[in-house]
Amino acid sequence: MNQLVVMKFGGTSMGSAERIRGAALLCEEQYNRRPTCVVVSAMSKVTDLLLDTLRHAEGGDAAGVEANLQALETRHRDTCHELLEGPLGEETQLLLSGILNEFARIARGVLMLGERPPRSVDEAIAVGERLSSTLIAAYLRSRNVDAFAVNARDVIVTDAVFGNAAPLLDPTREKAENLLKPELEAGRMPIVTGFNGATLDGRPTTLGRGGSDFSASILASVLDAEELWIWTDVDGIMSADPRIVPEAVVLEEITYREAAELAYNGAKVLHPRTLAPLMEKEVPVWSKNSFRPEVAGTRIVPNAGAPPGARAVTSMNNVALVSLEPASALLSGTRVMARAIEALAATNAEVLALSSSSYRQNFCFLIRQSELPAVIERLEQAFSLELAHGYLHPIDIDLDVGLLAIVGEGMKGQAGLAGRIFTAISREMVNIIAIAQGSSELTIAIAVRKDGIEKAVRAVHRECGLGPVPAV
Ligand code: ADP
Ligand code: ASP
Ligand code: MG
């Protein structure tokens, strides 16, 4: 769509009445200039609270459930009270109550059943985004902006992998064209819930934790947006997570490939799958700070003049190393690998690194811990006979690992860089478990013992000279 901008606000950018006012102002500024579609996350920590409530419910803790429901209601009611008054305030409180009641009904249902059906979980945890979108849409209306809340369940179509769904772009495009485009053309501003969607037959799904970035890029792609702006709580994409490396610097411009590698390898600032729907159409993406909108931020572009060397280092703590090893020569290692990969694909799990040994036919891969339960369940199903009859050793899971990745288009052909990185890590007495480098030489991924990961990140950041450029 001509000139359309899609803007996504993360949890901290929606975290209080004051933050919502700030986000609304940024929406309004764009709305006055061009068609604008907004995607919002739940208020900060709300998705955690929803999940925690369901855990209490499953464990039979009625008091815990009620306390959480109360906290949820108070947070949203108070925010609404601070933002809106008069009839619009009352109308909005009623809308919030309706959504909160839906969540309470599911939570109490889980309490009675003693289990959490994945489908109900997905419906329940999207409530955070429904509440926040209702709040900001009402606030914008109070400022005479023609905004309206949209539940992405009516727009984003996904497969049926609950908790980690993948979008189906063609049916999504059709829905977006029917539901959102005419409204945008009529000068209205949709405020779409991030994080959720539904299957073709209408069952609610979610896109994985942090998935609102992905929701925004899906919509930017199917609506043919001119730009996507992702508003967060740091000045852009940085040379490292500033919580781990205080001297990390903001990168002015990076390529899709670099940003995607960073996101896949743990840079929480972008959901791993965000860039995929945009690459073909080359939609530029900005990562910006909603607390400091005057700062330019990072521009993510198809190609950039790559400076030599590394651009950023990132890390991930919550990973698991899963190993499979045949116990009998009768079982082909290659077949084990093929079937294991099929099981991984069925859960939409992302393989972060993979390695195999030809002699023992041992095969291991690294995945996110959040994806572990579904993967193990699938693997145990796929190999139930082999495990029962002892053809396959019990599946080994090592949780004491972390993944560190060094990313940069300009690392290609830099002789000696990998050696310097390994030396820098070893100097910190951090144990390296596995190393993987793709043939593109865009990323070097290193699995290390978990307790050494932050030290290793700082050492690599220093060794690669990623901090501020010294004044001449
Ligand atoms: P949002 O709620 O806006 O989606 P997130 O918390 O998901 O925000 O992501 C922003 C956070 O990502 C930052 O506060 C920062 O600590 C973390 N982060 C990790 N790696 C990076 C990086 N390379 N650059 C910038 N931020 C990073
Ligand atoms: N609210 C969801 C989460 O916390 C999605 C998001 O914030 O992107 O995971
Ligand atoms: Mg996020």
Side-chain angles (χ1 to χ4, degrees):
M1 192 179 167
N2 242 352
Q3 289 195 315
L4 173 76
V5 62
V6 174
M7 301 220 292
K8 176 257 169 178
F9 293 89
T12 36
S13 306
M14 295 291 293
S16 63
E18 192 198 337
R19 298 306 314 149
I20 292 178
R21 273 192 212 104
L25 207 66
L26 295 167
C27 295
E28 213 175 316
E29 248 173 54
Q30 292 304 313
Y31 174 78
N32 289 332
R33 294 192 0 215
R34 50 180 167 171
T36 306
C37 177
V38 177
V39 175
V40 292
S41 289
M43 295 179 79
S44 48
K45 308 215 170 69
V46 164
T47 311
D48 289 337
L49 184 64
L50 296 169
L51 278 163
D52 186 60
T53 312
L54 297 181
R55 271 192 291 270
H56 281 293
E58 191 180 26
D61 174 11
V65 170
E66 295 308 319
N68 278 10
L69 290 176
Q70 191 59 54
L72 194 66
E73 178 170 347
T74 309
R75 173 113 182 254
H76 290 90
R77 282 206 175 290
D78 288 356
T79 308
C80 183
H81 193 69
E82 275 185 62
L83 286 174
L84 297 156
E85 45 192 32
L88 185 57
E90 281 158 30
E91 186 191 306
T92 310
Q93 293 282 10
L94 274 179
L95 291 173
L96 297 179
S97 291
I99 301 169
L100 288 162
N101 284 339
E102 278 183 47
F103 179 71
R105 183 180 46 75
I106 299 175
R108 291 183 186 128
V110 170
L111 188 69
M112 257 166 51
L113 281 174
E115 65 169 323
R116 293 186 285 169
R119 183 188 156 167
S120 307
V121 171
D122 279 26
E123 182 172 7
I125 61 177
V127 154
E129 274 70 11
R130 288 174 57 203
L131 293 165
S132 63
S133 58
T134 302
L135 274 171
I136 192 170
Y139 178 67
L140 280 159
R141 278 200 301 280
S142 78
R143 297 182 54 87
N144 294 321
V145 174
D146 198 356
F148 63 106
V150 177
N151 187 345
R153 189 182 156 161
D154 299 327
V155 184
I156 294 183
V157 183
T158 72
D159 63 15
V161 180
F162 298 102
N164 202 16
L168 307 176
L169 290 184
D170 288 335
T172 303
R173 178 171 299 111
E174 206 181 306
K175 292 207 174 214
E177 273 172 7
N178 290 334
L179 212 97
L180 301 180
K181 222 175 209 167
E183 302 283 359
L184 286 159
E185 279 166 356
R188 304 187 73 207
M189 180 158 64
I191 314 279
V192 187
T193 56
F195 190 39
N196 70 327
T199 59
L200 262 179
D201 55 358
R203 290 172 294 160
T205 53
T206 53
L207 303 169
R209 292 306 304 270
S212 298
D213 299 330
F214 195 24
S215 310
S217 74
I218 294 167
L219 290 180
S221 168
V222 299
L223 287 168
D224 297 316
E226 201 170 71
E227 283 181 3
L228 167 61
W229 290 18
I230 296 185
W231 292 97
T232 182
D233 60 357
V234 282
D235 284 348
I237 298 179
M238 304 177 74
S239 56
D241 186 342
R243 291 183 217 188
I244 299 177
V245 185
E247 62 274 20
V249 297
V250 178
L251 304 167
E252 246 173 67
E253 197 168 75
I254 60 171
T255 65
Y256 282 148
R257 293 183 345 138
E258 287 171 331
E261 286 287 340
L262 283 172
Y264 269 101
N265 289 291
K268 196 185 164 212
V269 67
L270 273 188
H271 180 276
R273 290 184 277 167
T274 309
L275 294 165
L278 305 172
M279 286 197 175
E280 202 181 305
K281 293 191 174 153
E282 305 198 338
V283 181
V285 183
W286 287 90
S287 166
K288 282 177 73 77
N289 191 346
S290 73
F291 292 70
R292 303 201 317 148
E294 67 284 1
V295 175
T298 301
R299 185 158 191 249
I300 310 172
V301 292
N303 294 298
R311 309 256 10 234
V313 51
T314 181
S315 65
M316 218 187 303
N317 255 327
N318 301 324
V319 293
L321 190 65
V322 180
S323 306
L324 297 174
E325 186 171 337
S328 149
L330 292 174
L331 189 60
S332 139
T334 312
R335 284 212 150 278
V336 170
M337 244 191 262
R339 285 165 57 198
I341 287 177
E342 218 168 274
L344 283 163
T347 61
N348 285 347
E350 229 77 63
V351 178
L352 305 165
L354 177 100
S355 110
S356 70
S357 123
S358 57
Y359 166 58
R360 282 170 61 198
Q361 301 273 301
N362 165 299
F363 160 63
C364 66
F365 55 86
L366 203 68
I367 54 171
R368 297 188 182 84
Q369 272 181 31
S370 57
E371 296 177 338
L372 185 66
V375 166
I376 294 298
E377 194 185 320
R378 279 283 173 162
L379 285 174
E380 283 176 349
Q381 260 170 26
F383 293 106
S384 57
L385 285 177
E386 289 80 355
L387 286 165
H389 295 293
Y391 288 119
L392 194 69
H393 286 296
I395 300 171
D396 186 66
I397 302 166
D398 185 352
L399 298 179
D400 186 25
V401 278
L403 182 74
L404 175 146
I406 304 102
V407 175
E409 304 252 15
M411 295 201 303
K412 200 174 176 107
Q414 287 245 305
L417 180 66
R420 273 174 41 217
I421 289 171
F422 302 145
T423 311
I425 296 176
S426 307
R427 230 185 276 129
E428 301 291 324
M429 312 297 278
V430 175
N431 194 357
I432 295 179
I433 301 168
I435 298 166
Q437 184 177 25
S439 52
S440 65
E441 294 183 54
L442 182 62
T443 302
I444 302 175
I446 305 171
V448 298
R449 278 286 156 233
K450 202 185 231 166
D451 59 0
I453 190 124
E454 295 200 354
K455 265 195 294 189
V457 168
R458 285 190 283 270
V460 171
H461 196 266
R462 217 176 308 122
E463 180 64 39
C464 295
L466 300 180
V469 183
V472 198

